């Protein structure tokens, strides 16, 4: 142990360090790097931010990684490293950020606002033109404008008054407005009026707003999954009630086995649906938690006379999450009821099978008893038959001895005296043979 310690110290000294060199876990670099992953972008104003999120599977994510690498190289930069899940590229006078997540991929570009008109023409230098390749189905599209607090006066006219939310964030250092609706280009508009935020803090606010819109959209996917499952769950509930009623009235092994088969098929279909929806519901809960965390991090409060983002989103997200939870609870309760009904019916089938087996064993016992009686009868007859042949042989022997002049009593007398002896001897031999077989 001391030798190893000396070797480590020597190696550390050779590298110019007074600390020993230890064997490093392969996860250490990933763990340390994760803290610095997806760093915040300092932003000034005026600024335009375009953010897109696409649903991507494993194959789509791999193809998008390869495409992005070619795209970056064609623009004179370097692509993401193998296995990297985030990358940045200077593009069109701004910055293009790429991130891969478990089930979606985001592209975010920010550049200087070129138009004095709020939500006017988008800068032509953005990367989402004809050369851009969407990695999957579009789910989130955001246009966020950052302006100074005194630059825009008529900003309320750019939003739908019926769903407009206006929040003061970062202790009233900035104002955020959005109506969570799509504009003519299919983009959800956000406006950030910066009052006193530094570029770093402003970048953090913008990042949280983009994540807020992305994760609140992803969280709502669970609602539509729950809505699709409800008719099927209702059908299962009705069918289970009908089968339970039939269980009460059914009798006979065949009928009960048929009901058991139907219950098993229903349980399999229910478990398949529950397994398929488990990921979606779990992901929705996780996304909902992220939305609440982002709202808390923004330190938002409603502007005087307006609705806050938290109040608006809670009004829709909370019922959606409750619907997902209620659907999961219905699935779990239905599964438990199916299990109880199946157990009850299987117990009844087992009892009927045991009753049949008992009757079968009794019948086999009766047949064995009859076979034993028949065997005993046959044994008695066989004793008589064998004795008859043996006595006949003795008669012929005695008769032959008499004719040859041997001193033997009359053949008839000899045969008569031999009958009881032969009977006893044959009976004893048969009994001994049967006992020996019984012992084996």
């Amino acid at each position: 142990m001391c030798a190893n310690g000396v070797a480590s110290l020597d190696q550390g000294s050779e590298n110019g360090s007074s600390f020993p060199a230890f064997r490093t876990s392969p996860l250490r670099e990933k763990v340390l790097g994760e803290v610095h992953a997806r760093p915040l972008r300092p932003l000034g104003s005026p600024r335009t931010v375009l953010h897109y999120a696409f649903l991507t599977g494993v194959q789509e994510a791999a193809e998008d990684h390869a495409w992005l690498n070619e795209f970056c190289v064609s623009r004179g930069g370097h692509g993401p490293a193998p296995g990297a899940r985030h990358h940045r590229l200077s593009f069109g006078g701004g910055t293009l950020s790429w991130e891969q997540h478990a089930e979606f991929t985001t592209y975010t570009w920010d550049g200087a606002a070129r138009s004095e008109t709020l939500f006017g023409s988008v800068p032509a230098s953005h990367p989402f033109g004809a050369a851009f390749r969407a990695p999957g189905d579009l789910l989130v599209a955001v246009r966020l404008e950052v302006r100074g607090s005194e630059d825009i006066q008529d900003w309320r006219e750019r939003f739908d008054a019926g769903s407009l939310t206006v929040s003061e964030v970062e202790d009233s250092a900035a104002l955020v407005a959005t109506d969570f609706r799509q504009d003519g280009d299919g983009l959800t508009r956000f406006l950030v009026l910066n009052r006193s935020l530094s570029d770093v803090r402003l970048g953090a606010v913008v990042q949280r707003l983009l994540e807020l819109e992305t994760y609140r959209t992803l969280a709502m996917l669970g609602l539509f999954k729950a809505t699709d499952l409800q008719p099927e769950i209702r059908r299962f509930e009705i069918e289970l009630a009908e089968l339970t009623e039939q269980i009460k009235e059914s009798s006979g092994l065949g009928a009960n086995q048929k009901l058991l088969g139907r219950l098993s098929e229903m349980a399999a279909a229910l478990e398949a649906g529950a397994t398929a929806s488990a990921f979606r519901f779990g992901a929705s809960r996780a996304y909902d938690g992220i939305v609440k965390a982002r709202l808390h991090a923004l330190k938002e409060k409603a502007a005087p006379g307006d609705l806050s983002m938290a109040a608006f989103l809670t009004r829709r997200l909370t019922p959606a999450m409750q619907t997902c939870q209620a659907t999961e609870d219905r699935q779990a309760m239905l599964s438990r009821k199916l299990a109880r009904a199946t157990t009850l019916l299987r117990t009844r089938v087992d009892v009927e099978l045991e009753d049949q087996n008992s009757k079968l064993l009794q019948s086999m016992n009766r047949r064995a008893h009859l076979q034993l009686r028949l065997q005993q009868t046959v044994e008695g007859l066989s004793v008589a038959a064998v004795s008859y042949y043996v006595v006949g042989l003795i008669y012929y022997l005695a008769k032959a001895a008499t004719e040859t002049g041997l001193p033997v009593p009359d053949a008839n007398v000899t045969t008569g005296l031999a009958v009881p002896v032969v009977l006893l001897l044959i009976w004893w031999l048969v009994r001994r043979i049967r006992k020996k077989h019984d012992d084996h």
Side-chain angles (χ1 to χ4, degrees):
M1 179 176 180
C2 294
N4 292 338
V6 172
S8 298
L9 287 172
D10 291 343
Q11 185 179 357
S13 300
E14 291 175 1
N15 295 334
S17 173
S18 60
F19 292 96
F22 299 108
R23 185 176 62 192
T24 305
S25 168
L27 297 176
R28 184 172 188 269
E29 293 297 329
K30 294 182 179 180
V31 172
L32 294 178
E34 188 63 26
V35 179
H36 304 285
R38 304 178 178 92
L40 298 173
R41 301 183 302 275
L43 292 178
S45 58
R47 204 76 175 171
T48 296
V49 180
L50 299 177
H51 174 77
Y52 293 92
F54 304 90
L55 294 175
T56 52
V58 176
Q59 182 64 29
E60 292 171 325
E63 294 174 355
D64 182 56
H65 189 284
W67 176 86
L68 180 64
N69 185 70
E70 296 177 358
F71 180 82
C72 293
V73 172
S74 67
R75 298 302 188 276
H78 62 87
R85 302 182 68 85
H86 56 88
H87 187 67
R88 283 188 179 180
L89 174 70
S90 297
F91 185 91
T95 302
L96 176 65
S97 299
W98 168 83
E99 297 181 8
Q100 273 192 349
H101 299 261
E103 60 174 334
F104 65 96
T105 300
T106 62
Y107 282 88
T108 307
W109 178 83
D110 65 273
R114 302 289 180 86
S115 175
E116 295 297 331
T117 303
L118 185 62
F119 297 110
S121 60
V122 179
S125 58
H126 71 80
F128 306 110
F132 179 75
R133 176 185 174 277
D137 294 337
L138 177 66
L139 183 67
V140 180
V142 178
R143 177 177 180 178
L144 188 148
E145 298 282 344
V146 180
R147 301 298 175 92
S149 61
E150 304 300 330
D151 295 344
I152 306 297
Q153 300 298 329
D154 58 345
W155 55 266
R156 287 182 178 268
E157 299 176 1
R158 309 297 177 180
F159 298 98
D160 178 15
S163 58
L164 176 62
T165 65
V166 183
S167 302
E168 295 182 348
V169 299
E170 292 289 335
D171 300 322
S172 302
L175 192 73
V176 176
T178 182
D179 56 5
F180 295 103
R181 291 187 179 277
Q182 298 182 32
D183 62 10
D185 297 321
L187 301 170
T188 303
R189 293 179 175 180
F190 280 82
L191 173 63
V192 179
L193 298 179
N194 185 19
R195 293 170 177 168
S196 59
L197 289 176
S198 65
D199 290 351
V200 174
R201 292 180 64 193
L202 179 60
V205 168
V206 169
Q207 182 67 26
R208 288 163 185 161
L209 290 172
L210 296 178
E211 292 175 351
L212 178 68
E213 174 64 12
T214 300
Y215 289 116
R216 73 99 180 177
T217 306
L218 287 163
M220 292 296 291
L221 295 179
L223 173 64
F224 304 104
K225 184 66 175 178
T227 303
D228 292 340
L229 286 174
Q230 285 177 359
E232 183 179 11
I233 294 175
R234 181 56 183 162
R235 179 174 62 83
F236 284 149
E237 290 173 341
I238 294 174
E239 187 174 357
L240 177 59
E242 294 174 353
L243 289 177
T244 305
E245 191 67 27
Q246 293 179 25
I247 291 173
K248 291 168 52 180
E249 301 173 356
S250 69
S251 61
L253 182 60
N256 287 330
Q257 286 181 329
K258 184 178 179 181
L259 288 175
L260 184 60
R262 291 178 62 186
L263 284 175
S264 299
E265 292 175 359
M266 190 191 309
L270 177 64
E271 289 301 324
T275 302
S277 62
F279 169 78
R280 184 75 273 150
F281 292 152
S284 291
R285 283 194 297 269
Y287 295 143
D288 180 56
I290 295 175
V291 169
K292 293 177 181 177
R294 297 299 181 267
L295 287 171
H296 178 74
L298 285 170
K299 304 176 185 177
E300 69 133 5
K301 62 179 180 179
D306 289 298
L307 187 68
S308 69
M309 290 186 293
F312 180 85
L313 292 178
T314 300
R315 185 174 62 87
R316 291 304 306 137
L317 271 179
T318 299
M321 295 303 102
Q322 290 177 345
T323 301
C324 294
Q325 186 62 52
T327 302
E328 273 193 304
D329 292 341
R330 287 177 67 188
Q331 286 178 326
M333 183 176 297
L334 187 57
S335 179
R336 290 194 295 269
K337 289 181 178 179
L338 272 171
R340 288 198 297 266
T342 303
T343 302
L344 175 63
L345 194 55
R346 183 175 288 113
T347 302
R348 181 184 294 181
V349 169
D350 291 342
V351 170
E352 291 179 351
L353 285 174
E354 290 178 0
D355 183 59
Q356 281 193 354
N357 292 336
S358 177
K359 292 179 179 178
L360 180 61
L361 289 175
Q362 291 177 3
S363 176
M364 292 175 63
N365 287 335
R366 286 195 298 270
R367 284 197 295 268
H369 182 68
L370 292 175
Q371 186 176 2
L372 179 61
R373 295 292 298 272
L374 179 61
Q375 181 181 356
Q376 291 174 347
T377 302
V378 171
E379 288 176 356
L381 295 176
S382 64
V383 168
V386 172
S387 300
Y388 172 79
Y389 286 112
V390 171
V391 170
L393 291 175
I394 293 174
Y395 171 76
Y396 288 118
L397 288 174
K399 187 175 181 181
T402 302
E403 292 180 355
T404 56
L406 293 176
V408 178
D410 182 65
N412 292 328
V413 175
T414 302
T415 301
L417 293 176
V419 168
V421 177
V422 170
L423 285 173
L424 289 175
L425 180 61
I426 297 301
W427 175 82
W428 178 80
L429 286 174
V430 172
R431 183 179 178 86
R432 182 177 178 83
I433 293 172
R434 186 176 66 184
K435 182 178 180 182
K436 188 174 183 179
H437 284 213
D438 290 342
D439 291 342
H440 285 304

